[in-house]
Amino acid sequence: RESKHHFVSHMMASGREEEEFFSELYSEERIAAFEKLSGEGYIGSQGQAVTEEIAPLLRLKEGDRVLDVGSGIGGFAFYLAKNFGADVLGLDVSSDVIRAARRRAAKADLGKGRATFDEIDVMKVVFSPATFDAVVIRSALMHFPYKNKAPTLKRAFEWLKPGGRLMLNDMCTVQDISFPELDEHMKKRHWYLLSLSECQQLVENAGFRCVEIKDRYETYLRLINEEIVQVEDRREELLRDVPKDMYEETLVHWKWKKGWAEKKAFTEFYILAEKPQ
């Protein structure tokens, strides 16, 4: 074990490299498989469970405008639109992901809300100041190179209306140490993790006032274990629709995350923050 950041200090990828990685990871075929394994509207673990936990904290009203950074195939955006009447704009860098989100939006029951999606990097998009009532960055900041994390949060602050809320839901390191044996996997997955206190500092430095900070360690472990058991129990059913290699790849990755979380290499958290009036 060595001091933190050792295992990612050499992994500063360009935006182009990351875009290529996620475009390959989330091809149309793989999106369909991951959604079967993760649940409708999601391509990663714990999607709906976390959505139901954090969405009410945004205190949205009908017609509120929400920016969803790293929106994936739309599960969170659809939930906000249908349950709160929000007008949600989702951003993602993968063209296949955005196409999938748009197809699902066309068929989704969004109630009085709306969900639209654009393929663009959050560091390149332009919005007028005070455009949004809420900004959500979920399972996305961890993939941004360190140099882009603070600027992203500062842009979010500028785009929010006074009193608007930021929800940052992501992974972070748990201890002031790291595990060098994680290097190769972290490099492949483009994970650039900070500690929870460092994430809080970034949020506050951008101008936000933190309202609630939660380390979801115990809940994260419980939910990912439940998902692993469920996917294993449904193996025969799932393999009718999911290629065997993608089924096994997902299961191996989830077990990898569970194992390293149990070693307290990383955990999941959320920070709810507000732009002062």
Side-chain angles (χ1 to χ4, degrees):
R1 300 182 186 181
E2 301 181 16
S3 62
K4 65 181 176 181
H5 304 331
H6 168 83
F7 66 96
V8 287
S9 61
H10 61 287
M11 297 179 346
M12 295 288 288
S14 69
R16 174 57 58 188
E17 289 173 340
E18 290 171 359
E19 288 178 20
E20 290 175 354
F21 166 76
F22 286 110
S23 292
E24 182 177 337
L25 178 64
Y26 295 124
S27 65
E28 190 169 339
E29 180 186 20
R30 291 170 69 83
I31 287 169
F34 292 154
E35 186 178 24
K36 284 285 184 182
L37 295 166
S38 305
E40 186 177 355
Y42 299 96
I43 47 177
S45 65
Q46 306 189 28
Q48 187 62 29
V50 179
T51 287
E52 293 175 1
E53 179 181 351
I54 67 176
L57 301 176
L58 294 171
R59 300 192 309 199
L60 296 173
K61 308 182 302 298
E62 185 178 324
D64 278 355
R65 299 190 67 187
V66 181
L67 179 65
D68 185 1
V69 178
S71 54
I73 61 173
F76 190 65
F78 301 150
Y79 187 89
L80 296 183
K82 182 175 182 179
N83 290 278
F84 301 96
D87 180 358
V88 187
L89 172 61
L91 305 182
D92 210 290
V93 296
S94 166
S95 57
D96 284 325
V97 164
I98 290 298
R99 280 194 292 269
R102 288 172 174 166
R103 286 196 300 269
R104 285 155 179 77
K107 301 175 183 177
D109 174 12
L110 302 181
K112 295 183 179 180
R114 193 165 76 115
T116 56
F117 300 90
D118 281 343
E119 178 194 350
I120 191 167
D121 189 324
V122 71
M123 293 296 294
K124 299 174 183 176
V125 70
V126 176
F127 297 111
S128 298
T131 294
F132 297 100
D133 299 281
V135 174
V136 177
I137 308 175
R138 183 173 172 188
S139 300
L141 200 71
M142 62 185 284
H143 297 298
F144 293 5
Y146 293 122
K147 65 181 179 181
N148 289 346
K149 295 183 191 295
T152 296
L153 291 169
K154 288 177 181 177
R155 289 164 73 82
F157 183 85
E158 179 183 349
W159 296 333
L160 273 172
K161 298 174 183 177
R165 292 198 151 193
L166 168 76
M167 172 57 73
L168 176 61
N169 169 225
D170 223 320
M171 305 297 292
C172 66
T173 57
V174 176
Q175 308 174 72
D176 194 28
I177 54 175
S178 68
F179 301 79
E181 57 266 42
L182 289 179
D183 275 11
E184 191 57 35
H185 197 88
M186 292 285 191
K187 183 177 181 180
K188 289 179 181 177
R189 306 295 298 195
H190 290 270
W191 283 29
Y192 312 117
L193 302 188
L194 298 173
S195 69
L196 181 52
S197 62
E198 288 170 322
C199 291
Q200 177 184 350
Q201 192 65 56
L202 283 179
V203 169
E204 292 175 343
N205 287 349
F208 291 99
R209 178 182 68 86
C210 290
V211 175
E212 183 179 352
I213 301 170
K214 184 173 181 179
D215 180 345
R216 299 186 66 258
Y217 182 74
E218 297 297 334
T219 305
Y220 175 79
L221 280 180
R222 175 178 59 80
L223 288 175
I224 198 166
N225 185 64
E226 289 174 0
E227 286 182 315
I228 290 168
V229 170
Q230 183 183 63
V231 165
E232 288 180 326
D233 287 347
R234 296 176 57 217
R235 176 184 172 88
E236 290 188 14
E237 171 196 345
L238 289 168
L239 287 177
R240 297 189 197 113
D241 299 305
V242 177
K244 186 177 179 181
D245 61 334
M246 294 183 196
Y247 171 91
E248 292 178 348
E249 174 190 336
T250 300
L251 200 54
V252 166
H253 182 58
W254 287 0
K255 288 182 176 180
W256 175 88
K257 290 202 295 184
K258 176 193 171 190
W260 282 105
E262 287 175 336
K263 295 176 183 178
K264 297 193 174 181
F266 48 75
T267 184
E268 189 184 13
F269 71 95
Y270 70 70
I271 296 175
L272 176 68
E274 191 171 86
K275 181 174 181 175
Q277 294 279 2

